[in-house]
Amino acid sequence: MRSAVRFPLKLPIAVKTSLEEHQAETKDISAGGVLFNIDADMSIGSTIEFTISMPAQVLGSPNDVLVNCVGRVVRCAQDGGRRSVAAVIDEYRFERA
């Protein structure tokens, strides 16, 4: 059972594994995690770093904000030829774009 409200936001996300970095797009975001589509295989349990670009108009702020996160992959599935990956957010910090 999910404990956080999910927001269906399609935003650019840069995902970095221990080996490489990929550009992807979020499907939805909650306070505890993110679901995104990516053109790469990811291992469940692997630690990833990711940066989500939050537009000012979504936040109601004067500037865009980058959210830098560290998390873990908890689920992977095929979604229309791409991989759909769910990750929990273990740490985050905000940075002005």
Side-chain angles (χ1 to χ4, degrees), residues 3 5 12 15-16 18 23 29 33 41 46 48 50-51 58 67 70 72 75 77-78 83 85 89 91 95:
S3 60
V5 176
V15 181
K16 187 177 183 183
S18 60
Q23 298 302 311
I29 299 173
D41 288 330
S46 62
I48 58 173
F50 50 99
T51 301
V58 169
V67 185
V70 176
R72 290 170 285 118
R75 189 175 71 248
Q78 282 298 119
R83 300 286 287 170
V85 175
I89 299 171
E91 301 172 29
E95 176 183 325

Side-chain angles (χ1 to χ4, degrees), residues 36-88:
F36 57 90
N37 283 334
I38 191 164
D39 292 323
D41 288 330
M42 307 205 106
S43 300
I44 294 173
S46 62
T47 299
I48 58 173
E49 295 178 25
F50 50 99
T51 301
I52 303 169
S53 179
M54 300 289 286
Q57 64 269 25
V58 169
L59 300 173
S61 68
N63 299 311
D64 290 352
V65 173
L66 296 177
V67 185
N68 298 307
C69 306
V70 176
R72 290 170 285 118
V73 175
V74 294
R75 189 175 71 248
C76 296
Q78 282 298 119
D79 185 15
R82 298 184 84 189
R83 300 286 287 170
S84 181
V85 175
V88 295

